[in-house]
Amino acid sequence: MVKLRLKRCGRKQAVYRIVAIDVRSRREGKDLRKVGFYDPIKNQTFLNVPAILYFLERGAQPTKTVQDILKRAEVFKEFRPNQTKFT
């Protein structure tokens, strides 16, 4: 199963990447794809929306924190779970 979760990048300041990663991997483990960036100090978010929608349509589960970030960015308005696209 794939999850969308945060992966810490910053050493002194907490800066995170939003990644698609296998559930069995640890937080700093090998990710499938980087789909965004989140800086809680500056409150900046950069999202690759097509990549996020790709993983959500295929059953990826966002963690609670990532789900809150995606809700603020209104990504779920573009997401239609009943439509599956196979390319």
Side-chain angles (χ1 to χ4, degrees):
M1 186 167 143
V2 176
K3 281 204 174 215
L4 296 175
R5 65 185 186 198
L6 297 175
K7 183 176 184 179
R8 186 171 174 145
C9 296
R11 191 170 192 179
K12 292 183 180 179
Q13 295 179 348
V15 178
Y16 299 93
R17 284 190 182 133
I18 301 170
V19 296
I21 194 166
D22 187 30
V23 173
R24 295 168 288 185
S25 298
R26 56 194 174 93
R27 183 184 72 177
E28 307 303 325
K30 179 83 171 139
D31 53 283
L32 300 173
R33 187 166 179 191
K34 296 171 184 71
V35 295
F37 177 81
Y38 175 59
D39 184 356
I41 296 169
K42 295 180 182 176
N43 202 16
Q44 292 179 338
T45 306
F46 301 102
L47 301 173
N48 183 351
V49 176
I52 292 170
L53 293 176
Y54 172 84
F55 283 106
L56 289 175
E57 286 172 352
R58 281 152 182 80
Q61 298 293 316
T63 60
K64 184 167 178 8
T65 308
V66 172
Q67 189 171 6
D68 292 342
I69 293 168
L70 297 178
K71 279 183 184 177
R72 271 190 269 140
E74 299 179 351
V75 172
F76 289 113
K77 290 184 178 180
E78 301 176 32
F79 175 59
R80 293 180 182 86
N82 295 337
Q83 290 181 348
T84 55
K85 299 177 189 174
F86 295 105
T87 56

